[in-house]
Amino acid sequence: MTLPSEQDGRAGDELARSLLDSGALTPEWAETFRAVPRALFLPDLVWSYDMATGRSVPVSRAEDPQAWERSAYANVPLVTQWDDGRHTGVEPGAVPTSSASMPSVVAAMLRDLDMTEGMRVLEIGTGTGWNAGLLAHRLGGSGVVSVEIDPSVTKQARDALKRAGLSPEVVNVDGRHGWPEGAPYDRVIATVGVRAIPPAWLEQTRPGGIILAPWGTHHSDQDALVRLTMADDGSARGPFLRMVEFMKLRAQRLDWNRFARHIPEFPGDADVSSTRVTLAELGDRYESVRFVIGLCVSDCAHVVNRSDEESGKAWFFDLASRSWAAVEFHSGKPDATVYQSGSRSLWDEVERALRWWTDHGEPSLDRFGVTVRPDGSVHPWFEAPENGLTIG
Ligand SMILES: C[S@@+](CC[C@H](N)C(=O)[O-])C[C@H]1O[C@@H](n2cnc3c(N)ncnc32)[C@H](O)[C@@H]1O
């Protein structure tokens, strides 16, 4: 086993202390966090991802070892692969496809798994192998299986785990199928965002077991962490915990470029009306209102092109037909112009969802949840599974 260097130890201690202070890290995971240093799992070139701006900055161990070391123990996500490995070079690629997740997110997800000794865990999305290493340190290697779709990422994770002296089972397969050979699991943790919960995950989790996954609709790239408990009838249900954003499961990525071809001519034959809803009311990244609109308005993707705080154009695209809507917001003008085209009046649906949300006192995300049936279909609810979310 490679022991943490003195410098690793100090930086790791500092990170653990700050995560303990914030409550993300619980005392039972603190020793594991110190013993399994994140730096051991990182390649020599990483991209530090700025959550506020969405920009990625390359950090090379060879060129600036101290900056690399600082990044390893900073509470930021580090991209480790672009474009499924097709991109090379120092500059960021188009789509980040593997990473070492943000330490506070990793710690809080381990806390939310609520694990005890002897449990069996399946992780979907091995990535660098750091999280699999943390799990294996706490539970012992024989209790942990981690699956990764990318062969070269799998190899790097296996090598890093070996260096760290940890031996979870790491399998190079598509995580949509889980890993039936190791089932049943007490816990399934996805460290990759999903748009549909694969039925295999339900089949492979024991009744009473927990599935923790970043789930979302195609409304935006945001995910909310959902904590599902398996019922005896093969379904699972549970509440959302908080907003997160993960790279998406390979087969469930939305190709946002397709919307460039969605509207042949603007405004074409669209119906034109107006609204008093403001751009701010539609919510920003990580605001629950935006996520709740996605829960209420099914199969609808949206993009906002902002000019400033109050002005810009919001686009809404039906995923199943050519229906679309666009709303132009102008700073200082109370009325925004609405264009709607196709069989669905998408903006009317969005406005109804917004009205429902304000009429219910702007409820926070943790008051919503989902039931996932054995076939994988997802049914959102408000406050309790009996209160299905259907906004008329
Ligand atoms: C955010 S990273 C995981 C971080 C990781 N747990 C860690 O500790 O570093 C997401 C990973 O999921 C992998 N992934 C994407 N689609 C997948 C799939 N269908 N099955 C398994 N892994 C997948 C990606 O290749 C990527 O490595």
Side-chain angles (χ1 to χ4, degrees):
M1 171 167 184
T2 310
L3 293 171
S5 70
E6 209 174 299
Q7 201 180 354
D8 269 345
R10 267 199 311 276
D13 278 353
E14 226 166 90
L15 176 64
R17 238 192 331 272
S18 77
L19 297 181
L20 274 166
D21 287 348
S22 72
L25 185 64
T26 51
E28 56 274 22
W29 279 101
E31 178 42 34
T32 291
F33 248 69
R34 291 193 179 99
V36 184
R38 191 185 190 214
L40 270 191
F41 293 83
L42 299 176
D44 290 346
L45 178 62
V46 295
W47 291 263
S48 175
Y49 181 73
D50 183 333
M51 304 285 284
T53 61
R55 281 186 54 233
S56 298
V57 178
V59 189
S60 156
R61 190 180 203 171
E63 281 181 14
D64 193 342
Q66 281 167 350
W68 186 91
E69 192 79 26
R70 271 197 307 278
S71 300
Y73 294 103
N75 190 26
V76 291
L78 298 172
V79 176
T80 52
Q81 187 201 59
W82 296 92
D83 305 326
D84 296 331
R86 289 186 303 277
H87 176 82
T88 53
V90 174
E91 288 316 308
V95 181
T97 47
S98 193
S99 69
S101 307
M102 193 168 167
S104 56
V105 172
V106 173
M109 285 176 77
L110 292 173
R111 177 197 66 202
D112 298 332
L113 275 183
D114 191 17
M115 288 194 309
T116 51
E117 309 311 312
M119 282 189 166
R120 288 193 56 72
V121 183
L122 171 66
E123 181 194 33
I124 314 291
T126 314
T128 62
W130 183 44
N131 196 46
L134 293 166
L135 287 163
H137 182 270
R138 172 96 195 274
L139 297 175
S142 60
V144 182
V145 183
S146 181
V147 297
E148 167 62 50
I149 198 164
D150 189 291
S152 70
V153 172
T154 308
K155 180 176 178 325
Q156 284 167 35
R158 283 188 186 136
D159 291 348
L161 285 159
K162 198 164 170 201
R163 281 198 301 278
L166 296 161
S167 48
E169 189 176 358
V170 177
V171 193
N172 176 217
V173 286
D174 187 336
R176 279 182 301 164
H177 310 301
W179 183 243
E181 286 80 344
Y185 301 102
D186 300 287
R187 301 287 183 264
V188 173
I189 172 172
T191 57
V192 58
V194 288
R195 290 292 169 265
I197 305 277
W201 299 1
L202 279 76
E203 286 157 20
Q204 293 169 27
T205 308
R206 69 158 172 83
I210 288 171
I211 300 172
L212 187 68
W215 177 87
T217 66
H218 282 305
H219 189 63
S220 75
D221 265 341
Q222 287 175 303
D223 308 299
L225 200 59
V226 70
R227 189 176 190 271
L228 304 167
T229 303
M230 278 303 300
D232 291 336
D233 65 2
S235 69
R237 64 191 191 202
F240 292 113
L241 304 182
R242 59 191 167 275
M243 300 300 309
V244 286
E245 189 170 331
F246 272 81
M247 292 160 185
K248 304 297 175 271
L249 201 82
R250 270 199 193 174
Q252 297 183 3
R253 290 178 192 150
L254 184 62
D255 173 16
W256 291 89
N257 292 326
R258 68 190 256 190
F259 301 120
R261 304 180 293 276
H262 200 93
I263 305 172
E265 183 195 1
F266 180 83
D269 61 356
D271 291 334
V272 183
S273 56
S274 67
T275 179
R276 286 262 154 142
V277 171
T278 64
L279 188 52
E281 283 174 283
L282 290 180
D284 217 330
R285 243 169 137 214
Y286 306 123
E287 282 188 46
S288 26
V289 59
R290 191 185 261 203
F291 190 81
V292 173
I293 293 173
L295 286 182
C296 299
V297 182
S298 61
D299 295 327
C300 174
H302 96 295
V303 178
V304 178
N305 302 128
R306 266 177 201 277
S307 316
D308 57 47
E309 285 276 292
E310 295 173 12
S311 329
K313 203 161 178 175
W315 296 94
F316 300 86
F317 306 102
D318 184 13
L319 295 175
S321 77
R322 296 305 284 257
S323 298
W324 59 268
V327 187
E328 281 174 346
F329 300 92
H330 303 285
S331 176
K333 280 199 189 164
D335 289 313
T337 312
V338 178
Y339 304 87
Q340 300 192 85
S341 171
S343 53
R344 273 181 89 178
S345 299
L346 286 175
W347 175 253
D348 295 352
E349 291 185 42
V350 170
E351 242 191 280
R352 272 201 296 278
L354 258 178
R355 204 173 315 121
W356 179 93
W357 189 69
T358 43
D359 288 351
H360 284 75
E362 305 188 355
S364 55
L365 187 73
D366 53 3
R367 290 172 65 189
F368 296 82
V370 291
T371 297
V372 185
R373 304 241 167 90
D375 64 0
S377 60
V378 178
H379 304 269
W381 40 260
F382 178 57
E383 304 277 21
E386 305 77 75
N387 303 333
L389 204 57
T390 38
I391 313 297

